Amino acid sequence: MGRKWRAEEAVQEAEARLHHRSLVGVVTRGQAELGSFPTPQKNTRGKERQCLVQEEVRAAVEEARSCEAVGKRHQGAWTRWENVVERKVTWTEIWKAEPHHIKFLIRAVYDVLPSPSNLHTWGIAETPACPLCSKRDIVLVSESTKQAVLLELTVPWEAHLEEAFERKLSKYEGLVSDRQQAGWRARCLPVEVGCRGFVAHSMARALSSLGIMGEQKRRAIRYITKAAERASRWLWLKRGEPWSHGS
């Protein structure tokens, strides 16, 4: 059984962490420059101190949860996803969602669904290959201005977003170069949306490049997230049915 959480111990630990931080001062994190993080507050009292302690308690709980997840090679693989746009699921979305929808999303993120890959790992299926995977390309062309934009969409496993980006960029490098030598302003914009609905930063960059900014871009990303998640869930529900490509 796990350790029972005690409020008194959590508060004492938070106070100790705050005291230590006030002694150490500001430190850099990752590749951030000096001054990127606020200076720890000292000698705070009353409500302000209470808020700091509460934030520190939450940070400690999240830190413990993250450490536990990192130690799990399979279920904690989401901690190693790179170039993924942070996704926040609000309580309103949870209340409005169907129970099976939330269940599918959680099991998919922790990779515990009986997918072809997992069934192969568990010794149940002979191959990890998915018979439903395919791709579609979008090409935006302006003959009057001689511009061409190739949007190459990939919906991979979230752990392979960066790999998919580099692969598609390299795949169409020759085609883009040929069009440029022919006098066209051609470019390839590989975009990735994880099959669980987590959008890669390449999608946000592509939308900005196409002039979709601000709230329009945020709304588009929300729609794309929901579309990918719903499509994956639909494919999952239909996984046992015969599948054939349309004529």
Side-chain angles (χ1 to χ4, degrees), residues 129-172:
C130 175
L132 307 181
C133 295
S134 61
K135 69 180 183 66
R136 295 291 185 270
D137 298 336
I138 301 175
V139 181
L140 304 177
V141 178
S142 172
E143 294 186 359
S144 60
T145 60
K146 300 196 70 173
Q147 294 188 66
V149 179
L150 172 60
L151 290 171
E152 178 62 26
L153 172 64
T154 311
V155 186
W157 212 234
E158 274 79 357
H160 301 153
L161 291 174
E162 183 66 21
E163 176 186 335
F165 177 85
E166 296 296 338
R167 183 177 68 252
K168 291 301 178 69
L169 196 64
S170 175
K171 178 180 179 180
Y172 292 99

Side-chain angles (χ1 to χ4, degrees), residues 102-202:
I102 296 298
K103 181 179 179 181
F104 172 80
L105 178 60
I106 293 175
R107 296 182 69 193
V109 170
Y110 287 99
D111 196 11
V112 293
L113 288 170
S115 62
S117 177
N118 281 341
L119 290 175
H120 178 70
T121 301
W122 300 336
I124 300 176
E126 295 182 359
T127 174
C130 175
L132 307 181
C133 295
S134 61
K135 69 180 183 66
R136 295 291 185 270
D137 298 336
I138 301 175
V139 181
L140 304 177
V141 178
S142 172
E143 294 186 359
S144 60
T145 60
K146 300 196 70 173
Q147 294 188 66
V149 179
L150 172 60
L151 290 171
E152 178 62 26
L153 172 64
T154 311
V155 186
W157 212 234
E158 274 79 357
H160 301 153
L161 291 174
E162 183 66 21
E163 176 186 335
F165 177 85
E166 296 296 338
R167 183 177 68 252
K168 291 301 178 69
L169 196 64
S170 175
K171 178 180 179 180
Y172 292 99
E173 183 178 6
L175 177 60
V176 172
S177 178
D178 290 343
R179 292 299 85 203
Q180 290 175 343
Q181 292 178 9
W184 282 72
R185 293 174 57 190
R187 51 183 169 159
C188 176
L189 299 178
V191 293
E192 298 79 40
V193 183
C195 57
R196 301 174 179 93
F198 289 82
V199 178
H201 286 291
S202 60

Side-chain angles (χ1 to χ4, degrees), residues 5-25 27 29 38-42 44 47-65:
W5 186 83
R6 297 182 183 278
E8 184 178 355
E9 293 180 3
V11 170
Q12 291 177 352
E13 180 182 351
E15 291 281 7
R17 288 164 61 108
L18 288 172
H19 179 66
H20 177 265
R21 188 177 302 169
S22 66
L23 293 176
V24 174
V27 296
R29 304 176 195 172
T39 303
Q41 301 182 40
K42 300 180 181 180
T44 54
K47 188 175 182 179
E48 186 178 6
R49 183 67 177 182
Q50 183 180 358
C51 291
L52 287 176
V53 172
Q54 290 176 348
E55 292 176 1
E56 200 61 37
V57 169
R58 295 191 190 99
V61 172
E62 180 64 22
E63 184 178 298
R65 187 182 71 88

Side-chain angles (χ1 to χ4, degrees), residues 55-124:
E55 292 176 1
E56 200 61 37
V57 169
R58 295 191 190 99
V61 172
E62 180 64 22
E63 184 178 298
R65 187 182 71 88
S66 298
C67 289
E68 183 180 359
V70 169
K72 296 180 178 179
R73 179 178 177 275
H74 199 69
Q75 289 86 351
W78 59 269
T79 62
R80 297 183 290 277
W81 295 349
E82 297 180 353
N83 297 313
V84 177
V85 177
E86 182 180 356
R87 181 180 178 186
K88 295 182 179 179
V89 181
T90 65
W91 279 109
T92 301
E93 293 175 323
I94 292 176
W95 282 114
K96 290 182 178 180
E98 298 177 2
H100 294 294
H101 176 87
I102 296 298
K103 181 179 179 181
F104 172 80
L105 178 60
I106 293 175
R107 296 182 69 193
V109 170
Y110 287 99
D111 196 11
V112 293
L113 288 170
S115 62
S117 177
N118 281 341
L119 290 175
H120 178 70
T121 301
W122 300 336
I124 300 176

Side-chain angles (χ1 to χ4, degrees), residues 25-42:
V26 179
V27 296
T28 59
R29 304 176 195 172
Q31 298 180 352
E33 298 179 355
L34 287 173
S36 300
F37 301 98
T39 303
Q41 301 182 40
K42 300 180 181 180

